[in-house]
């Protein structure tokens, strides 16, 4: 017997497994999970009912083509069904996209810091990440991103609003940027938080993709629609892009329960968007309170706030933990805090008020 372990691809040695947001340990009976940008609300009764009903059919495989969900999405966004592809969360769709374009020598370009799933998915596909630092105001530096495009660039990711900073790219800047990207390079607008945007200058990616064959939009049921635990997201793009996503999908990776719940959520959209409105009100209240307390908080159009704390990042996360609150620290950079129920937000604001280090 040899004592060496099975041989894995070298790339697996270059990054740790994905670290999900922590689940808080209760303190004095109170626990608040503000670490993963989830909806603080459970499923609507109408959606819970559909989920329970779908449970009776799980001896059968799901519809691999997700025909009913695809049709519902096509109708909702006024696009042809051939422009829609679903996946196991929008991270699943993103993995499919990166696998579709990534290979040794190919570059994937994105802002940094941005969504922490981008680097490992790029590495796994054998492609190379090209990261363009955010501007001092925590927004995308689109001029620098345009300048970083080379003949090797296969995919550009624009996270709008950006996770974890909450900042947005406005319409004219984004269209001007898209006009500079070569037609054979795919641009993906990651709009996981689209429903929380209230700034009218931010374009809807679905308007931008229509006359641009190399632009596609990623959306998810995980955040505003409250289905993070079921794993369903989708892409809207032109047929060659949608087809690449269908080809790279792990067979049956969107469960029948997820498909049914997503359809029911589209049907209950007005009710779900009322909840989003409540979160947006809380977001604005949290940010204004922090500003009044002397914090620097970039304007946010998502369901979280970003506090750049540099070396004090860990200290704030620990202070929150001592109060039963889990937030998302990025070591040495800052803390992302999801907007929860008013009670959870108050608990966080109380910790923030006592925290002495408000700057890096
Ligand atoms: C949360 C998030 C997603 C969505 O992930 P799912 O796989 O759909 O749960 C996608 N992109 C960004 C930037 C996110 O923050």
């Amino acid at each position: 017997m040899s004592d060496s372990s099975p041989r894995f691809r070298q790339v697996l040695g270059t990054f740790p497994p994905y670290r999900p947001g922590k689940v808080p340990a209760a303190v004095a009976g109170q626990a608040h999970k503000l670490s993963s940008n989830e909806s603080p609300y459970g499923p609507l009764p109408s959606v819970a009912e559909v989920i329970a009903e779908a449970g009776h059919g799980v001896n059968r495989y799901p519809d691999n083509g997700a025909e009913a969900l695809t049709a519902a999405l096509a109708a909702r966004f006024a696009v042809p069904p051939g422009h829609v592809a679903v996946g196991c969360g929008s991270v699943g769709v993103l993995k499919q996209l990166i696998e579709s374009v990534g290979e040794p020598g190919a570059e994937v370009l994105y802002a940094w810091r941005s969504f922490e799933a981008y680097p490992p998915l790029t590495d796994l596909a054998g492609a190379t990440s090209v990261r363009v630092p955010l501007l001092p105001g925590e927004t995308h530096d689109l001029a620098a991103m345009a300048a970083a495009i080379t003949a090797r660039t296969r995919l550009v990711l624009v996270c709008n609003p950006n996770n974890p900073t909450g900042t947005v790219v406005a319409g004219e800047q984004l269209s001007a940027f898209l006009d500079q990207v070569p037609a054979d390079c795919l641009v993906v607008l990651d709009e996981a938080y689209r429903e929380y945007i209230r700034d009218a200058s931010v374009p809807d990616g679905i308007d931008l993709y229509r006359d641009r064959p190399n632009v596609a939009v990623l959306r998810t049921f995980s955040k505003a629609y409250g289905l993070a635990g079921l794993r369903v997201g989708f892409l809207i793009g032109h047929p060659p892009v949608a087809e690449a996503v269908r080809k790279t999908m792990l067979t049956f990776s969107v469960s029948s329960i997820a498909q049914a719940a997503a359809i029911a959520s589209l049907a209950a959209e007005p009710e779900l968007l009322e909840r989003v409105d409540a979160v947006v009100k809380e977001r604005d209240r949290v940010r204004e309170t922090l500003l009044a307390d002397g914090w620097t908080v970039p304007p946010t159009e998502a369901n979280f706030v970003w506090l750049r704390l540099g070396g004090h990042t860990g200290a704030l996360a620990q202070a929150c933990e001592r109060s039963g609150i889990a937030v998302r620290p990025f070591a040495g950079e800052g803390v992302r805090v999801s907007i929860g129920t008013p009670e959870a937000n108050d608990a966080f604001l109380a910790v923030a008020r006592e925290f002495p280090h408000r700057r890096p």
Side-chain angles (χ1 to χ4, degrees):
M1 279 225 325
S2 143
D3 57 4
S4 69
S5 74
R7 283 180 294 167
F8 298 104
R9 289 172 57 202
Q10 264 177 1
V11 67
L12 292 192
T14 64
F15 59 87
Y18 182 76
R19 289 195 202 95
K22 275 196 182 176
V23 177
V27 172
Q30 293 290 313
H32 302 293
K33 187 168 188 288
L34 303 180
S35 55
S36 297
N37 299 343
E38 297 141 320
S39 167
Y41 307 109
L44 293 173
S46 63
V47 176
E49 220 169 273
V50 167
I51 290 173
E53 184 58 33
H56 296 295
V58 296
N59 53 312
R60 302 295 180 193
Y61 283 110
D63 170 9
N64 193 51
E67 257 184 62
L69 174 55
T70 299
L73 287 166
R76 165 65 182 83
F77 294 105
V79 300
H83 289 213
V84 179
V86 303
C88 181
S90 58
V91 171
V93 180
L94 182 63
K95 183 176 164 73
Q96 292 160 241
L97 280 167
I98 296 183
E99 270 179 20
S100 302
V101 299
E103 59 195 348
E107 292 178 353
V108 178
L109 175 68
Y110 48 87
W112 199 252
R113 175 166 283 276
S114 188
F115 188 31
E116 62 269 31
Y118 299 160
L121 291 180
T122 302
D123 292 350
L124 274 176
T128 302
S129 286
V130 177
R131 300 173 177 187
V132 175
L134 296 171
L135 289 165
E138 311 278 5
T139 57
H140 277 67
D141 187 346
L142 290 178
M145 288 179 72
I149 294 174
T150 70
R152 294 179 299 276
T153 313
R154 295 280 188 87
L155 174 62
V156 180
L157 295 164
V158 180
C159 191
N160 200 26
N162 189 46
N163 176 3
T165 59
T167 49
V168 288
V169 174
E172 278 167 33
Q173 293 160 281
L174 186 54
S175 327
F177 172 75
L178 295 177
D179 291 341
Q180 293 174 68
V181 180
D184 64 355
C185 174
L186 180 63
V187 183
V188 169
L189 308 174
D190 185 342
E191 297 188 339
Y193 302 97
R194 171 71 214 171
E195 296 82 1
Y196 298 97
I197 296 177
R198 293 295 178 272
D199 175 346
S201 75
V202 183
D204 185 324
I206 295 173
D207 296 330
L208 290 175
Y209 106 96
R210 290 183 196 271
D211 57 359
R212 291 181 168 91
N214 66 327
V215 174
V217 182
L218 278 183
R219 299 274 181 98
T220 180
F221 285 96
S222 295
K223 307 281 162 50
Y225 292 86
L227 298 182
L230 281 177
R231 315 304 307 126
V232 51
F234 58 97
L235 166 130
I236 293 187
H238 288 268
V241 186
E243 192 178 303
V245 169
R246 282 190 214 103
K247 280 188 182 170
T248 46
M249 185 175 89
L250 176 65
T251 317
F252 300 128
S253 64
V254 183
S255 75
S256 45
I257 298 179
Q259 293 184 34
I263 294 167
S265 298
L266 287 172
E269 196 174 12
E271 227 178 319
L272 285 165
L273 293 184
E274 277 174 31
R275 293 174 156 194
V276 169
D277 272 336
V279 170
V280 166
K281 282 205 185 82
E282 277 296 289
R283 166 188 82 197
D284 295 345
R285 178 179 77 89
V286 168
R287 178 164 183 264
E288 277 153 26
T289 306
L290 289 167
L291 290 175
D293 285 351
W295 288 86
T296 300
V297 194
T300 171
E301 293 291 325
N303 64 340
F304 50 83
V305 290
W306 171 244
L307 304 172
R308 192 169 277 283
L309 282 167
H312 304 301
T313 295
L316 180 62
Q318 284 153 21
C320 288
E321 226 169 282
R322 287 193 293 274
S323 291
I325 305 162
V327 294
R328 184 60 161 266
F330 295 90
E333 290 181 66
V335 173
R336 189 193 70 199
V337 186
S338 309
I339 302 302
T341 59
E343 185 197 6
N345 302 332
D346 281 340
F348 166 69
L349 287 169
V351 175
R353 180 159 289 166
E354 296 303 314
F355 192 73
H357 316 288
R358 290 169 192 205
R359 297 219 161 66

